[in-house]
């Protein structure tokens, strides 16, 4: 498959010609159907990592008949290596809010909530002021919708949409069984659209600049651009918005330190791409979909340590309710440690790889199904480092 | 209701909308293994043992949690499914204390069964069992061993959905996730009512009743001790399940023989003290009504609440401490029995009460706690020395090597072995009420209750709260003040329903005169000490057996029990007498609500 | 049978008295509403004022929201920031995730340990500081990073620790 050249884009942070409340006004001039079909046509997929088509989510929620519907902005950014949502909320919060307002108009919601991870509480004073002002502006233009904010309290799993609802309802953040899906029964059992921070900004941008301009960027499967959080062994650590569909080789060419041995795409729950696969690996829905975490490791790094770090993260941050995720993560840690110490034969790694298959298909939630990705990709590609 | 058509393993099945894949599979006798699933509880979908393949879906789906949908194609028996299930069970085993040989639930453990069915090799995965897990043996009634916990959360759901007590919770997350009490306090220090419903639904040995049969064996073997056993009404309709009989079989006669073979000196019937309870509690009700209606005493607490169920009593003490005055002061039949064993019985038999060991065989976990309440020493000794569950009796009988199926039947010893159908039906929800009405109505009017065969069907059944009323007409002179009064009664079982009753009382809006409450769903037949498993169907079968037993009794009204008549004549004099007060009535205390 | 030491609720380590805690809970419940949905904001409010959730606080919250105390505890213990054990006035959280590890979080932790004379997970004697390791704080491009309460210190260097912590004394 042919990849795109690395291309920098500036949709998210550029504010020229885009006064957020004006974008909302523009949406209000369209019919609700037109707004939804624009988002569907744009091909925008969720930017939190799972990549569900945003327009479809909106359509499902719009089609529900209910007295109350919610628009929730998922700002529980917890994936290791990801920090773009914080930056977006810090720099262009009004764009996020306008995305929420547009969604509210489209689906018929009066209440929006931002679920902000507790680690970002320092943003609250500023954000609260901006939300108040934005709510005022909305009532001035006659949209009956107001946004409020809720804080998380240090639980990665609450980034999973149904766990987030549970948390907002005052419970342990344990993912629910699906179906029902949030667009039918979400927060408080009401139809809910829950979108990632970045996704909401793109929806506003699509309304502002039109579907065609957005669609012109990216590939068939991965329309548009994406904000990447670049960290690790790189001279250019930070936030970078790039056109989707590039390959890892070009990415490393731009961001690596000249000695890159692996890139972890998608954070601890993502996939590790070794040097030999850089060229053939496309970043996007046709290759490795990602919430934007790009951790770069050079040849001085032990991939055993990297893996161990990820696994320990999951052993602590799994909600613990379902067997494959709770026990699987602990098995993987104990297994790699014992193989490394020579207490188990290296063949045990193959048995654990098989276990990751079970974890991927039998865990209750999307996050549980992805916790083993790093294990299978790192152990497959860096097996020697696990043993010696 | 519209029907959904789907296929399971290539076979077509139709099922109502809203049912799950698991329901559909059951309908065509396809067995899907489950663990966290329990018919009495809401669906959790967290153990993942019941996963199946759904065409078009990459991931497997938990069949207990996924609604059947039109056109679904389900596969329950593919290599993918089997491997995943095997891995999941193996993972659960890797987290588990696999010392099955020393586990009380061995051979009746759902994890053990699954592990055997799927032939789990203990070395498939490394053990991740946390070291140094201490068993919580702080409670008189319930033992909690986290090393055997599979985190299915059935106990938590039971404590919240069925009992609304929420003494148990899930705490922490990830590898540290576990079942806890408030701040991990020992069970004895929290709001736990000891109902034991969690024990009945625990798939493994993580939650069990505290066992006391070793102490009982010791007493039986001690020639200086006179061991008296009394059996609660509902034991006789459930014990058989552990010893080879189908659910709902009455094994009264064989049970009595078996106990005698254990070496017990005297086998007596708690039904006797159930009949006694009716006399005492019925009189208490009439006295309270008189005080309220005739004396216009506004300090009288009505409705009167039954007090036979110690889980229910402790529930009130924790959660409604300001309304304890509504509880009947009558001790439970077990405790009445104990107090009389070491006074009346000892005296009649000429045995020094200090040599008597009184053992109660109960369907109940809470009775263990009750027996050890500080105030239960009115005989001058501990009134009940040991409270055993139906399950413990089953174990003792097995240990004895008796062929229970082949045992001859025999009858209870006397004294305190005589009973009536009214005493028997104490074992089912509504039974105390029915027994009380049979007697109280007759005392007040001089006539039998106006129902065919004395069966007051309005208070029977499995609805959470049932109510009935009975009009008093042509009262005898002594009770003429009740003339024309419509006695309103209610029956509740399961503590979630008890809460509704109590909230009504707390709000001053209770329309009733008398309410029977049982802590356990179905009443004692569904008690926390009854054979495992339990579900609605099993409970209904036991209830049916209870009413069968009642119908087969010659005497069906408590006041007609000749031994009851004798004890009043010789010992107690009359209900609520001074002696009764000392031995048969008790007090309650406020307890903390966490 | 194992003897259990009689338990008394852990208010001894709490410098806030019971009445104050109960009053705080009452205020928070009035502010956020008497439904389960307000449980997290109420718990967060107590932690903000008292740095952890004492048993007194959890019992009061349970009562006010008509929940069981076990339920409140179970919910709180799910969330890393809703501490149920006594903590210092200021909570230091150093990110321990891989990129911060690569950029020297260990030296930062050691600098704090040396300065405060406590180990990770501990609280200073004067109850001023608690030092904890945290999962990804979302500053991977500026690691190592630490939070002191809600304040962020990206690119924190071991030699800045004394100055930073002095601000909280």
């Amino acid at each position: 498959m042919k990849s795109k050249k690395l291309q920098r884009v500036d949709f998210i942070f550029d504010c020229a010609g885009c006064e957020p409340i004006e974008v909302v006004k523009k949406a209000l001039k369209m019919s609700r159907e037109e707004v939804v079909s624009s988002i569907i046509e744009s091909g925008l997929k969720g930017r939190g990592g799972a990549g569900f088509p945003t327009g479809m989510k909106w359509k499902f929620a719009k089609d529900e008949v209910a007295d109350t519907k919610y628009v929730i902005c998922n700002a529980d950014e917890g994936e290791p290596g990801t920090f773009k949502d914080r930056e977006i909320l810090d720099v262009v919060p009004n764009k996020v809010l306008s995305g929420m307002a547009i969604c509210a108009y489209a689906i018929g919601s009066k209440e929006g909530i931002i679920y902000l991870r507790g680690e970002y509480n320092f943003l609250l004073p500023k954000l609260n002021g901006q939300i108040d002002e934005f709510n005022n502006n909305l009532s001035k233009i006659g949209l009956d919708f107001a946004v409020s904010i809720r804080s998380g309290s240090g639980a990665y799993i609450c980034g999973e949409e149904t766990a987030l609802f549970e948390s907002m309802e005052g419970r342990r953040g344990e993912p629910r069984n699906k179906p029902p899906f949030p667009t039918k029964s979400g927060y408080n059992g009401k139809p809910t659209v829950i979108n990632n921070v970045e996704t909401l900004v793109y929806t506003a941008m699509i309304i502002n600049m039109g579907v065609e301009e957005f669609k012109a960027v990216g590939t068939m499967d991965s329309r548009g651009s994406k904000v990447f959080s670049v960290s690790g062994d790189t001279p250019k650590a930070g936030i970078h918005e790039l056109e989707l569909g590039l390959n890892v080789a070009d990415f490393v060419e731009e961001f690596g330190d000249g000695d890159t041995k692996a890139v972890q795409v998608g954070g601890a729950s993502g996939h590790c791409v070794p040097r030999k696969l850089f060229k053939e690996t496309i970043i996007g829905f046709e290759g490795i979909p990602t919430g934007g975490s790009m951790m770069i490791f050079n040849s001085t790094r032990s991939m055993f340590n990297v893996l161990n770090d990820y696994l320990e993260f999951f052993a602590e941050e799994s909600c613990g309710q379902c067997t494959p995720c709770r026990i699987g993560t602990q098995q993987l840690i104990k297994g790699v440690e014992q193989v490394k110490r020579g207490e188990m034969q290296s063949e045990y790694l193959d048995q654990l790889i098989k276990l990751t298959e079970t974890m991927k298909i039998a865990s209750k939630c999307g996050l549980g199904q992805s916790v083993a990705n790093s294990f299978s990709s790192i152990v497959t590609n860096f097996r020697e480092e696990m043993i010696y | 209701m519209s029907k959904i058509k789907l296929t399971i393993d290539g076979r077509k099945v139709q099922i109502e909308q809203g049912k799950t894949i698991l329901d559909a599979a059951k309908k065509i006798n396809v067995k899907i293994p489950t663990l966290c699933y329990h018919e009495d509880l809401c669906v959790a979908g967290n153990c993942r043992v019941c996963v199946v393949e759904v065409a078009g879906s990459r991931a497997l789906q938990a069949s207990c949690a996924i609604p059947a949908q039109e056109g679904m194609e389900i596969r329950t028996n593919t290599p993918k499914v089997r491997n995943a299930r095997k891995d999941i069970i193996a993972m659960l085993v890797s987290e588990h204390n696999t010392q099955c040989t020393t586990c009380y639930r061995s051979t009746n453990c759902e994890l053990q069964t699954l592990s055997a069915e799927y032939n789990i090799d203990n070395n498939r995965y490394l053990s991740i069992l946390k070291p140094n897990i201490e068993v919580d043996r702080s409670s008189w009634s319930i033992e909690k061993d986290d090393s055997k916990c599979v985190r299915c959360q059935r106990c938590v759901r039971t404590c919240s959905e069925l009992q609304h007590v929420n003494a148990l919770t899930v705490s922490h997350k990830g590898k540290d996730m576990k079942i806890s009490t408030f701040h991990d306090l020992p069970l004895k220090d929290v709001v736990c009512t000891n109902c034991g419903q969690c024990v009945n639904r625990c798939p493994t040995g993580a939650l069990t009743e505290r066992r006391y049969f070793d102490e009982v064996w010791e007493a039986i073997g001690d020639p200086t001790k006179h061991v008296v056993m009394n059996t609660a009404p509902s034991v006789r309709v459930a014990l058989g399940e552990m010893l080879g009989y189908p659910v709902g079989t009455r094994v009264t006669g064989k049970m009595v023989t078996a106990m005698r073979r254990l070496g017990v000196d005297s086998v007596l019937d708690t039904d006797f003290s159930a009949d006694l309870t009716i006399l005492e509690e019925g009189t208490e009700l009439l006295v309270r009504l008189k005080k309220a209606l005739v004396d216009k005493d506004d300090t009288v607490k009505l409705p009167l609440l039954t007090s036979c169920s110690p889980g229910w009593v402790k529930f009130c003490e924790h959660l409604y401490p300001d309304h304890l005055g509504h509880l009947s002061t009558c001790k439970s039949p077990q405790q009445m029995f104990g107090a009389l064993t070491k006074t009346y019985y000892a005296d009649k038999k000429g045995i020094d009460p200090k040599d008597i060991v009184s053992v109660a065989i109960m369907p109940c976990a809470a009775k263990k706690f009750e027996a050890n309440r500080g105030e239960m020493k009115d005989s001058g000794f501990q009134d009940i020395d040991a409270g055993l569950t139906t399950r413990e009796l089953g174990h003792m009988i097995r240990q004895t090597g008796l062929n229970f199926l082949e045992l001859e039947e025999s009858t209870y010893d006397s004294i305190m072995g005589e009973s009536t159908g009214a005493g028997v039906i104490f074992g089912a929800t509504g039974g105390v009420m029915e027994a009380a009405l049979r007697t109280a109505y007759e005392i007040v009017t001089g006539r039998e209750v106006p129902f065919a065969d004395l069966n007051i069907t309005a208070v029977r059944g499995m609805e959470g709260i049932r109510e009935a009323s009975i009009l008093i007409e042509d009262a005898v002179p002594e009770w003429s003040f009740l003339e024309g009064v419509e006695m309103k009664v209610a029956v509740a079982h399961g503590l979630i329903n008890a809460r509704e009753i109590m909230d009504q009382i707390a709000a001053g809006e209770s329309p009733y005169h008398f309410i029977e409450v049982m802590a356990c769903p179905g009443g004692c037949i569904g008690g926390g000490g009854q054979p495992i498993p339990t579900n609605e169907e099993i409970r209904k079968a036991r209830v049916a057996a209870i009413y069968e037993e009642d119908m087969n009794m010659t005497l069906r009204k408590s006041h007609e029990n000749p031994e009851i008549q004798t004890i009043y004549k010789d010992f107690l004099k009359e209900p609520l007498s001074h002696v009764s007060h000392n031995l048969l009535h008790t007090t309650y205390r406020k307890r903390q609500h966490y | 049978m194992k003897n259990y030491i009689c338990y008394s609720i852990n208010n001894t380590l709490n410098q806030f008295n019971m009445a104050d805690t109960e009053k705080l809970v009452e205020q928070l419940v009035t502010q956020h509403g008497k439904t389960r949905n307000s449980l997290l904001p109420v718990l967060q409010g107590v932690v903000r004022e008292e740095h952890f959730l004492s048993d007194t606080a959890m019992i009061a919250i349970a009562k006010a929201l008509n929940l069981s105390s076990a339920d409140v505890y179970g919910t709180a213990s799910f969330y890393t920031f809703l501490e149920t054990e006594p903590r210092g006035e200021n909570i230091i959280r150093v990110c321990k995730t891989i990129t911060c590890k690569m950029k020297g979080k260990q030296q930062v932790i050691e600098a704090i340990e040396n300065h405060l004379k406590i180990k990770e997970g501990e609280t200073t004697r004067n109850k001023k500081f608690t030092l904890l390791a945290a999962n990804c704080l979302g500053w991977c491009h500026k690691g190592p990073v630490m939070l002191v309460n809600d304040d962020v210190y990206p690119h924190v260097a071991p030699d800045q620790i004394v100055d930073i912590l002095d601000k909280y004394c």
Side-chain angles (χ1 to χ4, degrees), chain B residues 139 142 159-160 163-169 180-196 310-321 366 369 495 499 590-594, chain C residues 59 62 67-71:
Chain B
S139 155
I142 294 168
C159 203
S160 105
Q163 300 299 66
H164 217 297
V165 172
N166 296 290
L168 293 175
T169 184
S180 295
T181 54
F182 175 58
H183 216 151
D184 289 308
L185 294 183
L187 269 176
K188 77 165 170 56
D189 290 336
V190 298
V191 69
C192 173
T193 65
N194 299 314
C195 73
W312 148 243
V313 167
K314 192 158 181 267
F315 173 87
C316 285
E317 291 180 322
H318 282 293
L319 297 167
Y320 295 92
F369 167 82
L495 291 173
R499 231 188 229 268
K590 296 184 178 190
R591 296 178 194 271
Q592 88 294 352
H593 67 88
Y594 51 82
Chain C
I59 289 168
L67 300 169
S68 91
S69 308
D71 207 349

Side-chain angles (χ1 to χ4, degrees), chain B residues 55-67:
Chain B
S57 167
R58 179 193 65 86
L60 300 175
Q61 305 288 337
S63 58
C64 71
I66 305 296

